[in-house]
Amino acid sequence: MSVTLADIEAAARRIAGVAVRTPVLESPALNERTGARVLIKAETLQRVGAFKFRGAYNRLSQLTPDERTRGVVAFSSGNHAQGVALAARLLDMPAIIVIPSDAPAVKVAATRGYGAEIRFYDRAGEDREAIAADLAQQRGAIIVPAFDDPHIIAGQGTVGLEIADQAAALGTSIDLVVGPVGGGGLMSGVGLATRARHPAARIVGIEPSGFDDTRRSLAAGERMGAPPAARSLCDALESPMPGRLTFPILQRTLSDVLTVTDAEVAEAMRYAFEVLKLVVEPGGSAPLAALLAGKLEVEGRVAAIILSGGNVDPDLFRRVLARET
Amino acid sequence: MSVTLADIEAAARRIAGVAVRTPVLESPALNERTGARVLIKAETLQRVGAFKFRGAYNRLSQLTPDERTRGVVAFSSGNHAQGVALAARLLDMPAIIVIPSDAPAVKVAATRGYGAEIRFYDRAGEDREAIAADLAQQRGAIIVPAFDDPHIIAGQGTVGLEIADQAAALGTSIDLVVGPVGGGGLMSGVGLATRARHPAARIVGIEPSGFDDTRRSLAAGERMGAPPAARSLCDALESPMPGRLTFPILQRTLSDVLTVTDAEVAEAMRYAFEVLKLVVEPGGSAPLAALLAGKLEVEGRVAAIILSGGNVDPDLFRRVLARET
């Protein structure tokens, strides 16, 4: 089961008027610094503070009345949890979220705030997939994967459609699209949409150092697991392996995958604070980090940079501002 | 010398393509909380991080070639300094900025970064107007006031025109416009534009507690100085008295002036961080503070809230997040 442009266009119709059509922002200061025209796709301004709402709403809105009664289960380090929780509330169905006990408190509180039931698990000692499967079986609920699902991918792909439409409305066209890669849901959707609209565009995924499973998988031509790694500052991008569905799409659509260090990510968060006046979480800053570190060849180009989320614990944000990370 | 809608429209043409046409953002979470449709005019995303660039560019772009050679002098607690400094750089003229020695470091650094010469003064013991007048005489430079100037007022008024246009593009119309009041440059311009476009709209100015000189002046029917006060968290709004030009315009256009406390402002800054994912400086948060504190009657209305600036020292921002202010 693959995903087509038509699926993404259908997702765009489903989420219209529910998801925020996030703006494309431009910073003259950033344009001057990079020598590029940088279109900042601010998914930080999306409902739940991250693009994840798009995929979740696209998935949940297609459940049958019977399925809606039984509800949904999701496991997530944070933003997917919030996306599913809010989509479930808007569609009036129950949701249980299986969430690591060390997830950012702001994400846990928000998920609970949307009315979802929370089931914590120990990241080191428990298997979240098994917990979710048990819960789903007990309650007859539907498991909503974070990325490896065609409806999720199609929903996230609406980010790419919007970028293409917004660039056209500005009288320009995209040479380059850059977004973060965890499991690959966002960039497989964005890749499909961008390939369809701008066949010649470069499409670049960004992974945190130590979690470059997609980069290595693409190099090997098959899905490779990440080695045991220290934690990354980018909690949202700590995926162990690209998905079964996302990987072949990423193979077809991505031009390149680059990595960024925690220090580069922290620097990007400070730049977003000081210059762009935007709150961006670590994983959401990865594309900006690559741009500011000079890893993207953008001079003279029109580059869309996806700031994918803004859910960062105040305490971590304070430490980043104080250069204590 | 007064200011007309035609002056504001002319200013809009002068700044077009130079200033950022800042977006109007909507947060479903904020709409839900307030029961209103809140259009967030994000002047935090303006060049120099605040609306002040509009007025400065409108003023400086009208100088004669001879005046441009001699340059400009401005005195400012921060954002006006940056606005003048950047406008001078873009128009290739020298600028000297007279700035209090206790101004936020981020504002000083940015002003210097735009190539302006800095002259510090002691807020307690020196007269900034006298210093600026001396410098102007020595160099033959033009003094650019922070608010009490028809071209500055007209430039800031473009915020109001844009709000009206952007609301129309959204298929709606503004019932209420809310913005911060220091010397009144922003809200006199916005007041004029809004009265012209939406004659029935409520136009509300927000002042920090202890700096409610405009509120008291409007009540008295004449310009009243502020009493000696402790410092406010809102460094950008510590004006002692409404301007000679701004006051009669504010008298004609403002429906009301309300005050907010430092605690309410800090709460609004945290809300902007956590929910809106926007970095807003204290003075720029005052309208949001009034909204969140329930001081505005917005239920069922369309309310435009001007977040006027985002230049906040990282250290102060950290203290606000930690509830240490």
Side-chain angles (χ1 to χ4, degrees):
Chain A
M1 187 174 191
S2 192
V3 183
T4 65
L5 180 65
D7 294 327
I8 302 174
E9 290 169 339
R13 289 189 293 272
R14 279 183 210 105
I15 69 171
V18 183
V20 174
R21 184 180 167 85
T22 56
V24 153
L25 307 175
E26 269 192 89
S27 160
L30 182 59
N31 285 350
E32 194 173 304
R33 170 168 169 161
T34 57
R37 182 170 188 184
V38 181
L39 305 183
I40 302 164
K41 181 63 170 171
E43 279 295 292
T44 52
L45 308 177
Q46 186 52 266
R47 287 185 100 138
V48 313
F51 71 93
K52 292 282 191 178
F53 176 73
R54 298 173 183 262
Y57 192 86
N58 187 50
R59 178 75 185 88
L60 269 58
S61 64
Q62 295 179 72
L63 294 178
T64 65
D66 179 54
E67 288 170 330
R68 291 190 189 202
T69 307
R70 287 178 278 137
V72 291
V73 180
F75 44 90
S76 161
S77 66
N79 287 333
H80 176 59
Q82 291 187 58
V84 170
L86 176 58
R89 196 194 72 184
L90 294 173
L91 293 162
D92 200 21
M93 65 179 84
I96 316 169
I97 311 293
V98 181
I99 196 165
S101 48
D102 61 349
V106 66
K107 295 185 180 181
V108 176
T111 303
R112 188 172 277 134
Y114 295 125
E117 183 181 339
I118 308 280
R119 163 71 162 84
F120 284 110
Y121 77 97
D122 173 15
R123 203 191 277 262
E126 286 188 284
D127 176 354
R128 65 183 187 174
E129 299 197 32
I131 295 170
D134 278 354
L135 286 167
Q137 194 170 29
Q138 286 162 29
R139 310 197 188 188
I142 302 285
I143 293 180
V144 183
F147 53 85
D148 221 18
D149 175 296
H151 306 299
I152 299 288
I153 293 169
Q156 322 304 31
T158 59
V159 172
L161 282 189
E162 288 179 15
I163 290 171
D165 289 345
Q166 290 167 318
L170 291 169
T172 188
S173 174
I174 299 295
D175 298 314
L176 178 71
V177 176
V178 191
V181 176
L186 175 65
M187 288 309 287
S188 55
V190 167
L192 287 167
T194 305
R195 277 277 160 268
R197 291 293 186 90
H198 301 294
R202 269 183 79 212
I203 305 173
V204 179
I206 310 293
E207 292 186 305
S209 297
F211 290 86
D212 59 342
D213 49 287
T214 295
R215 190 187 64 75
R216 293 185 305 107
S217 298
L218 290 173
E222 60 178 333
R223 295 165 66 222
M224 309 276 285
R231 296 296 307 272
S232 165
L233 187 59
C234 302
D235 61 283
L237 304 182
E238 289 180 336
S239 76
M241 194 188 278
R244 283 184 191 82
L245 283 176
T246 57
F247 182 63
I249 301 174
L250 295 173
Q251 278 185 305
R252 291 206 315 274
T253 58
L254 285 193
S255 311
D256 208 353
V257 177
L258 305 174
T259 61
V260 289
T261 66
D262 278 2
E264 289 164 345
V265 166
E267 189 60 37
M269 290 174 71
R270 285 189 291 270
Y271 185 90
F273 170 82
E274 288 172 11
V275 179
L276 306 180
K277 311 301 178 190
L278 298 175
V279 177
V280 191
E281 66 181 272
S285 306
L288 180 63
L291 177 69
L292 295 175
K295 295 182 178 182
L296 302 166
E297 287 160 25
V298 295
E299 203 172 331
R301 309 268 169 79
V302 179
I305 300 288
I306 303 170
L307 300 189
S308 56
N311 293 318
V312 51
D313 250 354
D315 187 57
L316 174 60
F317 199 77
R318 287 167 53 210
R319 284 186 285 123
V320 168
L321 290 185
R323 300 174 184 270
E324 288 168 2
T325 53
Chain B
M1 187 174 193
S2 192
V3 183
T4 65
L5 180 65
D7 294 327
I8 302 174
E9 290 170 338
R13 288 189 293 274
R14 278 184 211 104
I15 70 171
V18 183
V20 175
R21 185 180 167 85
T22 55
V24 153
L25 307 175
E26 269 193 270
S27 159
L30 182 58
N31 286 348
E32 192 173 304
R33 171 169 168 161
T34 57
R37 181 171 188 183
V38 182
L39 305 183
I40 301 164
K41 180 63 171 171
E43 278 295 290
T44 53
L45 307 178
Q46 185 51 265
R47 287 184 99 139
V48 313
F51 71 93
K52 292 281 190 178
F53 176 73
R54 296 172 183 262
Y57 192 86
N58 187 49
R59 179 74 185 89
L60 269 57
S61 64
Q62 295 180 72
L63 294 179
T64 66
D66 179 53
E67 288 170 331
R68 291 191 189 201
T69 307
R70 287 179 277 136
V72 291
V73 180
F75 44 89
S76 160
S77 66
N79 287 334
H80 176 57
Q82 291 186 61
V84 170
L86 176 58
R89 196 193 73 183
L90 294 174
L91 293 162
D92 198 22
M93 65 179 85
I96 316 170
I97 311 293
V98 181
I99 195 165
S101 48
D102 62 348
V106 66
K107 295 185 181 181
V108 177
T111 303
R112 189 172 276 135
Y114 295 126
E117 183 182 338
I118 308 280
R119 164 70 163 84
F120 284 110
Y121 77 98
D122 173 15
R123 202 190 278 262
E126 286 188 283
D127 177 354
R128 65 183 188 172
E129 300 197 29
I131 295 169
D134 278 353
L135 286 168
Q137 194 168 27
Q138 286 163 28
R139 311 198 187 187
I142 303 283
I143 293 180
V144 183
F147 52 86
D148 222 18
D149 176 295
H151 306 300
I152 298 288
I153 294 169
Q156 321 306 30
T158 60
V159 172
L161 283 190
E162 289 179 16
I163 290 171
D165 290 345
Q166 289 167 319
L170 290 169
T172 188
S173 174
I174 298 295
D175 298 314
L176 178 70
V177 176
V178 191
V181 176
L186 175 66
M187 287 309 287
S188 55
V190 167
L192 287 167
T194 306
R195 276 279 159 268
R197 293 292 188 89
H198 302 294
R202 269 183 79 211
I203 305 173
V204 180
I206 310 293
E207 291 187 305
S209 298
F211 290 86
D212 59 342
D213 48 287
T214 295
R215 190 186 64 74
R216 292 184 307 106
S217 298
L218 291 172
E222 58 177 334
R223 295 164 66 221
M224 309 276 284
R231 296 295 307 274
S232 164
L233 187 60
C234 302
D235 60 283
L237 304 181
E238 290 179 335
S239 76
M241 193 186 280
R244 284 184 190 84
L245 284 176
T246 57
F247 182 63
I249 301 174
L250 295 173
Q251 278 186 306
R252 292 208 313 274
T253 58
L254 285 194
S255 312
D256 207 353
V257 177
L258 307 174
T259 61
V260 290
T261 66
D262 279 1
E264 288 164 345
V265 167
E267 190 60 36
M269 290 175 71
R270 286 189 290 270
Y271 185 90
F273 169 83
E274 287 172 12
V275 179
L276 307 180
K277 311 302 178 189
L278 298 175
V279 177
V280 191
E281 66 181 272
S285 306
L288 180 63
L291 176 69
L292 295 175
K295 295 182 178 182
L296 302 166
E297 287 161 25
V298 294
E299 202 171 333
R301 308 270 168 79
V302 178
I305 301 288
I306 303 170
L307 300 189
S308 56
N311 293 317
V312 51
D313 249 355
D315 188 57
L316 173 60
F317 199 78
R318 286 166 53 209
R319 284 186 286 125
V320 168
L321 290 185
R323 299 174 185 269
E324 288 168 3
T325 55

